[in-house]
Amino acid sequence: MTEKTIFELSRPGRIGIRYPEPDVPLADLPEKFLRKDLPLVEMSENEVVRHFTKISQLNHAVDTGFYPLGSCTMKYNPKINEETARLPGFSQIHPLQPVETVQGALGLMYETQQWLAEISGFDAVTLQPAAGAQGELTGVFIIRAYHNSRGDSKRIKMLVPDSAHGTNPASSAMSGMTIIEIPSDKNGNIDTERVKAECDDTLAGLMITNPNTLGLFDENIVEACQLVHNSGGLVYGDGANMNALLGIYRPAEVGIDVMHFNLHKTFSTPHGGGGPGSGPVGVTKELAEFLPDPVVAMISEGDEETPAFYDLVTPEKTIGRVKSFHGHFGVVVKAFTYLISLGKNGLLDASTSAVLNANYIQALIKDVYHIPYERLCMHEFVTEAQWDDAPGIRALDISKRLIDFGFHPPTNYFPLIVHEALMIEPTETEAKETLDAFADALLQIADEAKNDPEILHNAPTNAPFGRLDEVKAAKELILKTQLPENYGKELS
Ligand SMILES: *Cc1c(COP(=O)(O)O)cnc(C)c1O
């Protein structure tokens, strides 16, 4: 890494901005607020622009290359989403304004609730949770509140499959539940015999992801939901993988009672380094009264003369607020833009293409990469990236080598039930040429693993950083630009 820090580029006396003549008397800056250890950088405007443009290009991003990070749905984020989120009517309002003055924003939230309800089959939706994990926490709070409201407070057991995302057991445990891990059967579905064995009057519910994190549609979903319902429990659906199912399958219709969406996955709002997420939660009619406070309601429908009127209402037995104000409103505007620009048929196309693209890559590499559960996959699939004739090569080596080809690595070592897992999710927004190039790279890397493993051990060789010391990077995380020693000493 040879890029200079901005402090090393600074030279005394250079300026990048000219201030207008002041129209107030000049005064000294208040000394006590000035940090002498933090000198101002002195640079010209073009040096600043070049510096930041250069370092922005060191990052891999959806806008610069293929990003098959499984379970994260790193699809392209259409730029029109950004434009609408920046419209002053959405970006310059305040959550404490009287509702009469923000009818457009409330209408947009209401419509988004309606779209999500239609897509999932649920009766009511909250937009408040900040991300998927907080949606899970909200959902488990709702399940707990439901049981308690019926005087059924001994229900504290939550069943979680062994393929689940780590946030599932975490959010259940944070809600005071006891987690029971349920194994997957030999086809990668939930083991219903094991579910049955846990069905008693202490069962609060089951948390199930469908398609699961193996990228497989759970063929036992209906039976598992029935078993749980028959013993008085509720089913939480982890909807992070809804990208495979838009317009095809409605979770509420198979027996899911409460589910979160990840707007920042399925509905194309940026995430990762790109900004905050949003994890709306949908519920059945029976659970609507427990939703977080407030939800947006349409008070009067309106007609040709008068527009509809929206208000914020408190569900009768609400679990309370889970996030300040109305959640991440800007993200909701982006997702709404995506929903209405694709429309019903566009969403169906998106899911169909996402599933097709994943199956296409799986078919291209499956003779070389072992697929532990070889079935038609949904929007992603998992391979076990190791070979008997390539000892010493791990999934991590393959991922690092992919960086040399200009690709973001897939998800590594997840789900935990597959050894040396690589979880590949191409998304619907990639062209066939990109999918072909990625599969070719994987095949070439498999060949190198067997014939020239040093290439993999040394990769990446054409990235700004080579192999990082992962333990040191995690234990001694440095997130601030380091000032060069002596820098600015002469100024103080
Ligand atoms: C991403 C993901 C989550 C968590 O969602 P966040 O928005 O990252 O909090 C939960 N479950 C699955 C299967 C996921 O892929």
Side-chain angles (χ1 to χ4, degrees):
M1 172 72 179
T2 52
E3 295 306 328
K4 287 197 164 69
T5 65
I6 198 162
F7 298 101
E8 291 164 299
L9 294 170
S10 172
R11 295 289 178 274
R14 286 195 187 157
I15 50 170
I17 186 165
R18 261 173 239 290
Y19 293 102
E21 284 301 313
D23 55 2
V24 291
L26 287 178
D28 285 336
L29 289 167
E31 273 293 318
K32 64 175 174 182
F33 296 129
L34 292 180
R35 282 170 57 187
K36 291 244 167 56
D37 61 332
L38 204 63
L40 290 172
V41 167
E42 297 175 81
M43 291 169 83
S44 67
E45 180 175 318
N46 70 342
E47 288 172 313
V48 173
V49 169
R50 282 181 193 155
H51 174 72
F52 284 110
T53 304
K54 214 183 288 168
I55 56 175
S56 77
Q57 290 168 345
L58 296 178
N59 275 341
H60 192 89
V62 164
D63 284 354
T64 59
F66 186 46
Y67 209 139
L69 191 66
S71 206
C72 290
T73 310
M74 303 301 287
K75 65 171 76 174
Y76 176 69
N77 313 130
K79 297 302 165 250
I80 188 167
N81 298 356
E82 302 297 322
E83 284 182 37
T84 53
R86 281 167 176 70
L87 290 172
F90 295 131
S91 63
Q92 306 288 309
I93 51 177
H94 194 280
L96 294 180
Q97 266 176 250
V99 290
E100 298 74 36
T101 67
V102 287
Q103 283 295 305
L106 292 178
L108 181 141
M109 292 173 73
Y110 179 81
E111 290 289 325
T112 307
Q113 291 172 188
Q114 295 296 104
W115 270 90
L116 296 177
E118 174 68 25
I119 286 168
S120 59
F122 290 110
D123 292 284
V125 172
T126 170
L127 303 174
Q128 218 176 84
Q134 206 194 12
E136 292 171 31
L137 190 70
T138 304
V140 182
F141 280 169
I142 289 173
I143 291 178
R144 200 181 59 182
Y146 167 82
H147 290 314
N148 286 344
S149 76
R150 295 152 51 92
D152 206 358
S153 54
K154 62 182 180 303
R155 293 190 178 268
I156 49 148
K157 224 168 42 172
M158 186 62 84
L159 314 184
V160 182
D162 58 0
S163 58
H165 194 267
T167 48
N168 288 193
S171 54
S172 287
M174 281 179 77
S175 321
M177 298 284 172
T178 303
I179 315 311
I180 310 283
E181 187 177 284
I182 302 293
S184 306
D185 70 13
K186 62 179 194 318
N187 298 320
N189 299 316
I190 188 166
D191 185 337
T192 46
E193 285 307 313
R194 296 292 287 271
V195 172
K196 202 182 289 174
E198 297 296 340
C199 283
D200 56 27
D201 61 1
T202 65
L203 181 67
L206 160 71
M207 275 188 119
I208 189 162
T209 311
N210 196 25
N212 64 24
T213 65
L214 295 163
L216 301 174
F217 189 89
D218 200 311
E219 296 160 317
N220 297 340
I221 183 87
V222 173
E223 191 190 343
C225 291
Q226 275 167 357
L227 286 169
V228 171
H229 287 157
N230 288 346
S231 73
L234 294 178
V235 182
Y236 184 91
D238 177 332
N241 291 338
M242 275 302 285
N243 205 48
L245 301 173
L246 301 173
I248 301 167
Y249 151 104
R250 305 209 304 168
E253 289 174 3
V254 301
I256 308 283
D257 298 288
V258 42
M259 185 191 88
H260 78 262
F261 303 83
N262 300 61
L263 298 190
H264 48 289
K265 294 179 179 173
T266 317
F267 301 103
S268 87
T269 76
H271 61 300
S278 176
V281 169
V283 294
T284 55
K285 214 175 4 286
E286 292 70 34
L287 298 179
E289 58 188 357
F290 299 101
L291 282 177
D293 174 39
V295 290
V296 183
M298 188 199 272
I299 304 300
S300 63
E301 266 190 34
D303 51 34
E304 262 141 53
E305 268 114 66
T306 11
F309 186 77
Y310 304 94
D311 203 353
L312 297 167
V313 300
T314 300
E316 209 170 309
K317 297 182 185 161
T318 179
I319 58 164
R321 191 176 270 287
V322 298
K323 179 83 181 80
S324 53
F325 299 120
H326 311 305
H328 292 151
F329 175 68
V331 179
V332 175
V333 178
K334 294 179 197 183
F336 178 74
T337 308
Y338 182 73
L339 286 165
I340 58 166
S341 41
L342 263 70
K344 202 166 138 185
N345 294 333
L347 293 172
L348 177 62
D349 274 352
S351 282
T352 316
S353 305
V355 171
L356 180 63
N357 286 358
N359 277 287
Y360 181 64
I361 296 181
Q362 180 173 258
L364 289 177
I365 68 163
K366 76 174 174 14
D367 292 338
V368 175
Y369 284 80
H370 179 224
I371 314 284
Y373 302 92
E374 204 189 321
R375 285 167 41 186
L376 271 185
C377 66
M378 299 298 285
H379 64 312
E380 61 193 359
F381 66 95
V382 180
T383 113
E384 194 176 70
Q386 58 183 357
W387 302 276
D388 290 342
D389 52 348
I393 293 295
R394 310 180 58 215
L396 183 75
D397 301 310
I398 298 167
S399 283
K400 295 294 183 191
R401 181 69 176 130
L402 277 169
I403 297 171
D404 282 336
F405 288 84
F407 298 123
H408 193 286
T411 296
N412 282 241
Y413 302 111
F414 180 77
L416 304 176
I417 55 173
V418 174
H419 296 295
E420 298 299 325
L422 284 182
M423 183 194 223
I424 297 170
E425 178 180 10
T427 82
E428 69 278 14
T429 53
E430 297 298 333
K432 180 172 177 295
E433 293 75 22
T434 307
L435 307 178
D436 285 332
F438 180 70
D440 284 347
L442 281 175
L443 296 175
Q444 180 182 326
I445 292 170
D447 193 56
E448 291 169 353
K450 291 160 196 178
N451 300 312
D452 200 352
E454 274 315 289
I455 297 186
L456 269 67
H457 286 137
N458 295 329
T461 50
N462 61 14
F465 289 97
R467 282 273 172 132
L468 300 177
D469 178 338
E470 303 201 357
V471 176
K472 193 169 154 72
K475 297 226 152 143
E476 293 172 37
L477 194 63
I478 300 170
L479 294 175
K480 291 197 295 191
T481 302
Q482 301 296 296
L483 277 181
E485 260 175 55
N486 286 332
Y487 183 81
K489 285 273 153 46
E490 73 277 11
L491 296 177
S492 57

